[in-house]
Every structure is written in C-alpha cells, then in structure tokens.
Amino acid sequence: MKPPMKNLNLFLFLLLVLGLHLGSVLSWKKEEFRNCNQTPFCKRARARKPGFCSLIALDVSISDGDLTAKLVPKTPDNEQDPDQIKPLILALSAYQDGILRLRIDEDPSLGPPKKRFEVPDVIVPEFASKKLWLQRVSTAKIDGDAAPSSIVYLSDGYEAVVRHDPFEVYVREKSNGNRVISLNSHGLFDFEQLRAKREGEDWEERFRTHTDTRPYGPQSISFDVSFYSADFVYGIPEHASSHALKPTRGPGVEDSEPYRLFNLDVFEYIHDSPFGIYGSIPFMISHGKSRGTSGFFWLNAAEMQIDVMATGWADAESEIALPSEKSRIDTLWMSEAGIVDAFFFMGPGPKDVVRQYTSVTGTPAMPQLFATAYHQCRWNYRDEEDVEHVDSKFDELNIPYDVLWLDIEHTDGKRYFTWDRTLFPHPEEMQGKLAAKGRHMVTIVDPHIKRDDSYHVHKEATQKGYYVKDAGGSDYDGWCWPGSSSYPDILSPEIRSWWADMFSIENYVGSTPSLYIWNDMNEPSVFNGPEVTMPRDALHYGGVEHRELHNAYGYYFHMATADGLVKRGDGKDRPFVLSRAIFAGTQRHGAVWTGDNSAEWDHLRVSVPMILTLGITGISFSGADVGGFFGNPEPELLVRWYQLGAYYPFFRAHAHHDTKRREPWLFGERNTELIRDAIHVRYMLLPYFYTLFREANTSGVPVVRPLWMEFPSEEATFSNDEAFMVGNSIIVQGIYTERAKHASVYLPGKESWYDLRTGTAYKGGRTHKLGVSEDSIPAFQRAGTIISRKDRFRRSSTQMVNDPYTLVIALNSSQAAEGELYVDDGKSFEFEHGAYIHRRFVFADGKLTSVNLATTSPGKSRFSSESVVERIVLLGHAPGPKSALNEATNQKVDIELGPLWLQWGRGSSVLTIRKPGVRIGDDWTIKIL
C-alpha cells in the first residue's frame, strides 16, 4: 500500500506548506533558503584569491566582423584536470551606440558532453542589424606590459582592449586612455568546463530534504567586473534593499551575503536584504560625478550571486597592478551554469545607458490607457454580488477606478481558464456591466496546472507531452494551490503558441475582450520543491536543465500569455498582463509588481528603491501592493500608501484573504476623502503619465526615475531613494513614519520648484524642512516644465477621453518652460503606424506655442482629437496681465486668478488663461498681452 501512504504524506505536507503560505502572522524563514556557503558554486568562487586566473589570450584575429581568440592556461600543470585546460573560445563584437558584447564558451569542436545553454528570445531581433563589422585589430604594449594587447574600435570615443597576458578585457576612452569598465582585472575569472563523470565521483548536492542529481557536474562561471570613476552602483533587481547597492564583502562588511539572483516565491520578504526574491535582471549600472554612467549586463538565466566589494577589499591580497583611479567599484559575478554573454554599455549619461540596454533587450511595451489608471484587487472578491457591490460603491463615493481583479478563488477548484459557476454563474454579463462604464476585469492564470484527467488543459498537455519533465523523464509533479500540479514547458516555442491559444474567447469560456490577465507564482512556485521552486535537474525542451533557465521561466510564461491576448484580439488590441517573476526583457510583455509585501512602514519605504531599480533596468511599468499584501494597515499607513502609490507607474491596491477588507470607504469619512483625493491626483495626471509611458516605449527611459538620472552631477542625489522623479517634471517625497509633522525634502538643481498643491515656489539645490499634513505628501513641479492634466472627475479613464486639458506652466528664472503631450487611441497598435498626436509646448518671450512632433508620411495612419485646452495655468509669472491673444484666430482671451486645482477650488490663486480656444492636436500660439 505504498502509493496511498505516499499520497497521505504529500497531503499532510501540502497542509503544512499551505499553512505557511496562508498564515499572515508567520514571517520569512531564511533557513528554508540556501545561502552562499550552502551553494557550492558560490562558496568556491568566493574562496578564490585575486590572481587565481592563469588564462592568456592566443590566436587573436578578426573573423566575421568579430575579434576572436582562444583562452588557454599560461603554464598547464601536468596534474591539472585535462578537461579544464581545453581552450575556451572568445568573441568580441562591437555595436552601434558604444555597445560591446563579449562571448566566451567551450570549443564545440572538442566535443563537450552537451551544449551549454544560451538564453533565447531575450535579445530583440533588430539588435543584430546594429553590429559594426570590425575590419582590423591593432596591437600595442600598454602600461609597461611584457605581452601585447589587442585593440579594436568601439565608437568615436571608445576602444575595446583584450590584454593577452594576463587575460583581461576592458573599454577605455580614446582621448586619455582612462578605463570605463573592465573584466578580470583582479584575475578571478573561472569557467568550469563540462566533462565526463569519473568513477566514484559524487556530483549530487543536497539541501534539507532535497537532492539535486547534477548529471552534468560542476559548470559554474565567475569573474570580476570593475567600474571606473564610479561613486555608486545600482541595479541587479529584485531585492528589497536600497537603490544604491551596498558593499557585501571587504573591510567593514560582516557576515553579508552576496546579492542573489534566483527567482523565488518569498512570502513576507524582509526589507534591507540582499536575498533574491521574485525576479532577476543581471544588469548593473555605475554612476559617478567625474565621468558619468556605464553599465554591464550578463545574459544568463541560471542562479547568480553578485558581490559588491568594499574599498580596499583586495589591497592585502592582490598582486595585480590596476591603473590608478580615484574611485573604482569592483564586483564579483558568479553563476551556476550557462556561458559568458556579456554587454558593456558606455553611456556616458544615465539615460544613454538605459537606452543602450533596452536596444538589446527591448523597450517597454506601450500599455493601454486603462492600465495606467487605478486597479482594485484583493484575494478574493467572493462572488458576482461582491463584485457588483464594490463597483457601485466606487461610483457612489465618486472614486474613479478602471480595473477590478479576481484572484484564484474565482476558478473551479484552482483550474485556470474556468469559473466557479456557483459564485460566478454569469461571468460574461459581469464583465459586460464593468465594460459599460469603461472598466475592465483581470483574472489570475498561474503556471501550475491541476493534475486532473477531467480538466481539459491538463488532459491536452499530457497527451501532447507539453509538461516539464523530472530528472527521470516523467511529467514533473509538484504541489501548488490546486494540489498535485504540472508545469508547461514554456521554453518551447510550440508550447508557448499552444499556451497563447488558451486565451481565445472560444477556449477561455466565460471570458470577453475586456478581460485581461495576471500571471502569479511563475518563478515557478512549487510548495514542496527545493526552496519552494522546481528542482534544478528537471528537464526542458531540448534537454535543457531547469538550473540553466530557471530565472527566465516566468519570463517565457509572461511572453506566451501576452502573445495570447494579442492573438485573441487579432493583433489589434494591446495586451495587459501582470507578472510576478521577471527577467531581462520582461518590459516588452507587460507590468510587474513587487510581490507579497507587508502592511508596515518599512515596506512602504522600501517600495521606492525597488521601483526605481526596476525602472533603470528596463522595467518601467511596476508598482507595489498599496496597503501591503499581508497584515492590516492602520488608516494612516493606508492613506500614506495611497498618496505615494498614486505616483507608482502601476497603481494597484491588493490584500491577502486573511486580512480585513480595506476598500477606500471602510476607514471613516475623512480617510475615504483622503484616499479619494490621492486617486484623483493620479487621474488628473493621466495625460502626463501616458506621455511618459510613450517616452519609455521609444527610449527605454523609465516613467519613475531616481533623482540622479535627472541631476547626474549633483552628488546629493546619488544615494537619495526616499524621493523620486516622475518624468523630468515632478519630484515626489514619501512620508514613511507615522504621525509625521515635518519632512526634509531635497530639491535638486539651480531652478525653483513649485508645490504641486499650492503653487508655492521653493529654491532648488537645497534641503527644505517642510510641515506636512494628512492631506498629501510633498510633491513639486520643476521650474521650466509644462505638464498636461485632465481635471474633470469621471468613473474611469475611458470616460475621460474627450475631456478638455489643463496645461500647467512652471516658469524658470528665464520665464521659459517646455513640455510634451502624447495622445493616441489608448488601446490599439495603430500608434505604431503613425496614428497619434505628439506635441511640444514651448513658453518663451511671453508666448506659448504648440509644435507638432509626430512624424507624418504618405500612407501612415492618422489620429485626431476634438479635445481642447480648457485652462492654461502660469506659475511664476509676474502679476498684471489681463488678457492673451490667440494668434491663429486673432482673438483675445481673459487672464484671471483661479484655483490651481479646479475641482477642489483650494490652494493659492494662480494666473490662469481660461478657454483659450485651441485644440490639443493643432499648431497654435498664444501671446500674453
């Protein structure tokens, strides 16, 4: 009777695991996850001393436009493993815009036991066309080296250098020879080549009750990367930690772990920790006052650990003479598997580096307008009656929202693509009622498929062999919300296409075109798996081990789901898919959120650096659960979270099902008013946000930015992650403590800033101690900018489409300002064919001019809008003018004092041009008389 006993044990284990997941009072237990010392490849790499690497570069030449070389040990040791002295193959490629690509792999002609995994479908296809075909290589002895170095052109200002002995790769400035980024300057490079297993050798690794068979043995890679003229490094999400990365090793650092990149389902994660959580983007950015910004990206989906070295870490050990630099930050990159496929980005500005990185991995997708508005979610809205009550209550209290979400309880027994027909008997009608108000619904679809022969998805996946296999070749069986579950092998393009087809109206019975999707648990989460995820020796399409692609599993799942929604709409409807797991390139497929946070002030605080870090690594469309997923927030914390969350790119409230209900009207009349005001701020700023999403879509520059991205020469901004920029025009400072009466706000730059609520001017370049009230958090508009608003209150963003605009002009010391506005149909892909409005507003010499930025050509689509400019607000203009002239019509319009915020009618009276009689899509000039 072994099978029944096994089932009973698994059932009891599931109850235990579910208890851990459901209990909101239990916190993260670090002993359930591996640390570096329990991770052999990390422990080995950290134990190596500077100068460990003995490789030299031989046979350097130009081949197919690349610099190629062989890496071999300088003096092979007769006792050394013969498999580890085989030559490695190096290829160095140059691309437009100062991008260098370095690839190092085993020599396939020498017959390694298997091909090492190279991550597919992350680099955008068009990147290949930007390759610069290298024609020649020059050789020179540099810095007194006995051996030569090979030098190739990278861009007008930079050249790449391969040092032969000892092996090193770096990029330097042509004009002065100063280094920008280097690899293996400390001699920590190591590449464990695949080999045959010897008799009696034990390759297995054990952690807690799990055994990893490791059939291909050790295959890790590690190397050091140095950033020159750097004051700070940033990036490598996802961690609940400061925006500027703290040292993890060296003088003054005790018992710190490396930053871990390994996608895990970590409920109630702790803040201020280098522990990896739901996503992994192995992209680091350095920034310093003297030179600027550079970046390094390693395309590798295996587990990675990264050390940031403290100053002086190698002084006592290193015999390698590095070029003298005032400031250099050294890092150590360690991965369990894969190849070296690394990209060096030269900048030199912060936005340049982000643009260069997104030219490789893709710019963020342009969202639908509704997705940039407010989302209402909890686990779970009980039934159709609950949905209807929540929806009507928002209307009753004049609180706008755009999307209502349903978590796992809406399904029939956790079978995705189904409905519990007792609780949700008429799903199409329910969605239709929301759609009639311009609203949408989102349902959850996770990757774990219930192993139930009567469930059509499981039945089809089983018959077609579409599941990930275990190490023995059977369909992998793990435990998640439905109980016994299997997981689609989403690495396969065929299986991704099959998964995408599941979202058609015909296949997803009960869905409608206004329904969009949420991918949760896609790390993937496996309750009874090692570290709550899939075993590393599970097998994917092409014989790829799970260890090799783990961090990209959720990325492929996100991709396939987004493709499914595009297919559903015949390629006409932009998808909206929220994903918890992330990887490089996730930005092309939808939004992300920071996972299962807690209703604590510290989690409110850490949400800002988490979102900033996601933004600079390509993922603009991100947010944190407003109010905290776990726990019950006090009203003050909830209000402050709404006030901050209104500026997140992705603005959603969400809560665990064990928490008390926390819709905006459940905390008393005054708190309802404060939450409504916060949501109204977001809706009024939607035209500005949507314009920023388009900027991200075209350039990669994030919607929400760290201060140093806009003020790269101001050292006071480099480590400031309490405040952030929304675009280039608004700065926001959160309130992170209860009962706060004052806030210290640093306002960067030489120009003034105008209080977003009152219009009061504050000088830039200094810290202001400001009184704060419960009404709002500090937010300011930058002098010299123009932002677009829509001030009418509606039920949803969809109902605001034809509303008039307000332009808020914040004049600088030269009495000038400029800004942009982007408008399209908010839903289709027609904008890719020219169907949009893009205007630049310029105020100078007493005139406001609207200039067309949209490119037009014959055959392109067109988009027009009848929306007009209702008000033009002038901040910082001297009092006195009574009228203005619309030069196109030669008509005078009145200038009067009016409220900065029309609907609230409070705050300072400001100079206002009322009803200037111009349309948003036209060329026009208005002159102050």
Side-chain angles (χ1 to χ4, degrees):
M1 301 298 290
K2 286 182 180 178
M5 180 59 69
K6 178 183 176 183
N7 288 343
L8 176 61
N9 289 339
L10 283 172
F11 176 72
L12 293 173
F13 185 86
L14 178 63
L15 287 179
L16 172 63
V17 174
L18 285 175
L20 288 174
H21 270 69
L22 299 180
S24 60
V25 296
L26 296 177
S27 61
W28 172 64
K29 295 181 179 179
K30 67 178 183 179
E31 65 271 13
E32 296 186 0
F33 301 95
R34 300 206 302 187
N35 60 34
C36 181
N37 281 335
Q38 296 167 319
T39 307
F41 81 85
C42 183
K43 187 176 181 179
R44 290 195 299 274
R46 260 190 157 189
R48 297 183 186 113
K49 302 297 182 183
F52 164 87
C53 177
S54 66
L55 296 178
I56 60 174
L58 298 179
D59 300 339
V60 180
S61 64
I62 297 293
S63 175
D64 291 329
D66 294 339
L67 181 150
T68 61
K70 291 183 177 179
L71 301 179
V72 299
K74 183 174 183 179
T75 53
D77 187 338
N78 291 333
E79 297 181 3
Q80 192 170 353
D81 184 345
D83 290 304
Q84 299 306 318
I85 60 173
K86 293 178 181 177
L88 296 169
I89 303 301
L90 175 149
L92 205 64
S93 309
Y95 292 82
Q96 294 171 16
D97 203 15
I99 298 173
L100 180 72
R101 185 179 189 181
L102 171 67
R103 291 167 57 84
I104 302 174
D105 196 359
E106 300 187 40
D107 187 341
S109 69
L110 299 179
K114 66 172 283 190
K115 185 181 185 302
R116 296 175 79 108
F117 181 61
E118 300 177 37
V119 187
D121 303 312
V122 170
I123 299 174
V124 292
E126 57 267 28
F127 180 69
S129 67
K130 298 178 181 178
K131 181 176 175 179
L132 303 176
W133 288 74
L134 300 175
Q135 302 297 318
R136 66 184 187 89
V137 57
S138 59
T139 303
K141 292 184 178 181
I142 299 174
D143 297 330
D145 281 352
S149 294
S150 297
I151 306 162
V152 293
Y153 171 88
L154 180 57
S155 70
D156 289 343
Y158 303 97
E159 51 195 10
V161 180
V162 176
R163 190 182 182 195
H164 295 189
D165 181 9
F167 162 64
E168 182 186 15
V169 176
Y170 61 91
V171 178
R172 67 180 186 180
E173 296 177 349
K174 277 185 185 178
S175 60
N176 51 29
N178 288 343
R179 293 179 174 214
V180 182
I181 309 176
S182 66
L183 183 145
N184 202 37
S185 298
H186 289 283
L188 291 171
F189 181 90
D190 185 68
F191 194 117
E192 295 179 327
Q193 298 195 42
L194 295 166
R195 59 180 175 82
K197 190 175 184 180
R198 301 189 188 94
E199 186 176 349
E201 194 172 11
D202 183 9
W203 278 351
E204 291 185 347
E205 288 183 2
R206 298 162 188 84
F207 179 67
R208 294 170 71 86
T209 61
H210 301 279
T211 299
D212 175 6
T213 61
R214 293 211 312 159
Y216 296 98
Q219 52 187 294
S220 71
I221 303 170
S222 56
F223 48 78
D224 56 277
V225 175
S226 296
F227 299 90
Y228 297 78
S229 301
D231 296 328
F232 291 95
V233 287
Y234 313 88
I236 58 169
E238 186 175 29
H239 306 94
S241 58
S242 61
H243 180 55
L245 298 171
K246 299 174 183 176
T248 60
R249 180 175 166 191
V253 179
E254 296 182 7
D255 302 323
S256 176
E257 287 289 304
Y259 286 98
R260 189 184 192 194
L261 295 181
F262 191 62
N263 294 9
L264 290 172
D265 177 5
V266 185
F267 60 101
E268 289 193 280
Y269 55 81
I270 58 172
H271 73 283
D272 197 23
S273 167
F275 187 83
I277 48 177
Y278 310 100
S280 301
I281 302 180
F283 172 40
M284 185 179 286
I285 296 176
S286 82
H287 182 71
K289 184 175 181 179
S290 61
R291 185 205 164 260
T293 318
S294 61
F296 178 82
F297 167 51
W298 185 5
L299 178 54
N300 187 320
E303 178 182 357
M304 204 176 289
Q305 305 260 6
I306 301 171
D307 267 320
V308 176
M309 309 303 208
T311 302
W313 70 275
D315 289 351
E317 307 173 63
S318 179
E319 299 175 0
I320 300 174
L322 288 176
S324 176
E325 285 285 339
K326 289 182 180 178
S327 55
R328 184 188 72 241
I329 295 179
D330 300 319
T331 59
L332 175 62
W333 298 61
M334 305 163 271
S335 181
E336 185 181 12
I339 68 166
V340 176
D341 190 0
F343 297 78
F344 301 67
F345 306 109
M346 296 303 102
K351 295 178 183 178
D352 297 320
V353 169
V354 174
R355 185 187 70 250
Q356 290 156 2
Y357 168 74
T358 54
S359 75
V360 175
T361 63
T363 57
M366 187 66 194
Q368 290 202 40
L369 176 62
F370 82 81
T372 68
Y374 174 62
H375 300 245
Q376 182 65 36
C377 182
R378 80 170 276 111
W379 176 21
N380 204 86
Y381 287 117
R382 296 183 300 268
D383 50 29
E384 289 180 5
E385 184 180 350
D386 197 10
V387 167
E388 188 170 356
H389 170 74
V390 170
D391 176 67
S392 64
K393 199 71 177 176
F394 272 92
D395 292 341
E396 178 188 330
L397 295 170
N398 195 26
I399 305 173
Y401 88 99
D402 268 68
V403 193
L404 196 141
W405 293 54
L406 296 180
D407 211 315
I408 55 177
E409 309 304 333
H410 82 277
T411 61
D412 176 13
K414 313 299 189 298
R415 298 170 183 87
Y416 302 109
F417 307 103
T418 69
W419 303 82
D420 182 328
R421 290 289 177 165
T422 302
L423 302 176
F424 296 93
H426 309 106
E428 297 100 330
E429 184 181 329
M430 174 179 63
Q431 295 162 59
K433 288 178 180 178
L434 295 177
K437 300 177 182 179
R439 290 174 177 151
H440 299 77
M441 177 164 274
V442 166
T443 55
I444 195 167
V445 177
D446 292 346
H448 45 262
I449 304 302
K450 184 177 177 71
R451 294 184 60 82
D452 176 353
D453 291 339
S454 66
Y455 177 29
H456 71 282
V457 178
H458 170 66
K459 187 175 181 180
E460 189 174 343
T462 302
Q463 290 172 347
K464 294 184 174 181
Y466 280 175
Y467 283 137
V468 176
K469 310 302 179 188
D470 62 24
S474 301
D475 287 350
Y476 174 68
D477 184 349
W479 285 77
C480 208
W481 297 126
S484 178
S485 304
S486 288
Y487 297 72
D489 185 3
I490 217 80
L491 175 65
S492 161
E494 177 187 333
I495 298 171
R496 287 204 298 268
S497 179
W498 167 80
W499 182 258
D501 288 339
M502 289 291 165
F503 294 92
S504 70
I505 300 297
E506 294 74 26
N507 287 334
Y508 190 172
V509 176
S511 68
T512 70
S514 65
L515 181 73
Y516 294 89
I517 301 299
W518 172 17
N519 289 162
D520 198 356
M521 315 294 283
N522 55 337
E523 294 73 29
S525 176
V526 184
F527 292 165
N528 64 334
E531 300 190 273
V532 201
T533 193
M534 192 174 284
R536 296 168 192 241
D537 55 5
L539 293 171
H540 293 262
Y541 168 74
V544 176
E545 285 191 284
H546 187 73
R547 81 182 74 254
E548 301 175 275
L549 66 80
H550 171 83
N551 286 341
Y553 181 86
Y555 164 78
Y556 294 120
F557 194 75
H558 195 190
M559 174 196 296
T561 302
D563 287 348
L565 294 187
V566 174
K567 274 186 176 181
R568 181 187 74 179
D570 296 324
K572 298 175 183 177
D573 187 44
R574 291 178 227 165
F576 173 75
V577 183
L578 180 74
S579 174
R580 190 169 72 177
I582 60 173
F583 189 65
T586 286
Q587 65 271 12
R588 304 202 307 271
H589 306 298
V592 309
W593 91 107
T594 60
D596 296 345
N597 58 0
S598 297
E600 300 170 7
W601 289 96
D602 286 338
H603 277 247
L604 171 65
R605 170 71 182 84
V606 81
S607 71
V608 173
M610 292 178 78
I611 290 167
L612 292 177
T613 299
L614 288 168
I616 66 168
T617 54
I619 300 183
S620 258
F621 203 2
S622 72
D625 284 345
V626 170
F629 178 67
F630 286 110
N632 297 301
E634 292 299 317
E636 183 187 4
L637 172 59
L638 183 64
V639 167
R640 290 301 192 202
W641 215 317
Y642 268 99
Q643 290 170 343
L644 186 75
Y647 297 98
Y648 292 163
F650 175 59
F651 181 24
R652 181 186 76 153
H654 184 38
H656 190 280
H657 71 63
D658 282 349
T659 64
K660 298 174 184 176
R661 294 287 288 253
R662 60 166 87 141
E663 284 74 31
W665 48 87
L666 295 176
F667 297 87
E669 207 170 300
R670 176 57 179 157
N671 288 313
T672 299
E673 181 184 355
L674 294 171
I675 292 170
R676 178 172 53 234
D677 283 357
I679 295 173
H680 278 159
V681 167
R682 174 52 163 253
Y683 276 79
M684 284 186 277
L685 291 174
L686 279 179
Y688 179 62
F689 269 92
Y690 198 66
T691 300
L692 294 175
F693 275 103
R694 176 58 170 168
E695 181 185 1
N697 173 246
T698 55
S699 71
V701 176
V703 172
V704 164
R705 306 162 189 176
L707 271 56
W708 59 267
M709 182 168 275
E710 288 297 327
F711 301 91
S713 62
E714 285 199 42
E715 293 176 88
T717 68
F718 293 177
S719 61
N720 184 336
D721 58 12
E722 289 195 351
F724 56 91
M725 296 292 298
V726 181
N728 72 340
S729 304
I730 294 175
I731 191 171
V732 178
Q733 168 74 50
I735 300 297
Y736 308 113
T737 56
E738 56 186 328
R739 295 186 292 277
K741 301 300 181 187
H742 299 89
S744 292
V745 183
Y746 179 73
L747 298 176
K750 297 177 181 177
E751 294 288 347
S752 294
W753 295 80
Y754 297 91
D755 187 297
L756 215 59
R757 289 274 179 150
T758 67
T760 304
Y762 294 86
K763 290 184 178 180
R766 63 184 64 180
T767 299
H768 298 267
K769 185 177 181 180
L770 304 174
V772 295
S773 70
E774 63 178 4
D775 291 356
S776 63
I777 59 175
F780 303 85
Q781 183 175 346
R782 183 180 182 178
T785 65
I786 301 174
I787 62 174
S788 304
R789 296 194 325 226
K790 284 192 173 183
D791 290 355
R792 305 280 176 87
F793 292 167
R794 304 291 188 191
R795 289 177 170 179
S796 65
S797 66
T798 314
Q799 296 187 345
M800 298 167 62
V801 168
N802 296 316
D803 283 353
Y805 288 80
T806 292
L807 303 182
V808 183
I809 302 173
L811 296 174
N812 62 18
S813 56
S814 302
Q815 292 287 285
E818 63 178 56
E820 295 184 13
L821 173 65
Y822 174 85
V823 187
D824 61 24
D825 66 16
K827 54 188 177 183
S828 78
F829 288 101
E830 285 301 304
F831 72 97
E832 294 180 346
H833 308 292
Y836 61 85
I837 292 168
H838 190 189
R839 311 298 302 185
R840 172 171 291 142
F841 304 119
V842 179
F843 188 93
D845 301 321
K847 290 183 178 182
L848 174 63
T849 303
S850 176
V851 181
N852 180 35
L853 294 180
T855 55
T856 56
S857 59
K860 276 201 167 186
S861 300
R862 294 284 190 271
F863 175 77
S864 62
S865 172
E866 297 301 315
S867 292
V868 299
V869 177
E870 181 179 41
R871 296 195 311 145
I872 299 171
V873 173
L874 293 161
L875 300 176
H877 196 284
K882 301 295 184 186
S883 61
L885 180 69
N886 181 341
E887 292 191 350
T889 62
N890 203 33
Q891 290 182 326
K892 284 187 178 182
V893 290
D894 292 335
I895 297 179
E896 57 188 41
L897 292 177
L900 180 54
W901 298 87
L902 187 63
Q903 251 64 21
W904 294 330
R906 61 175 183 246
S908 306
S909 292
V910 291
L911 217 57
T912 305
I913 303 173
R914 291 190 65 250
K915 297 184 178 179
V918 292
R919 295 198 311 176
I920 209 68
D922 294 344
D923 293 340
W924 43 260
T925 297
I926 295 171
K927 180 180 180 180
I928 307 293
L929 298 177

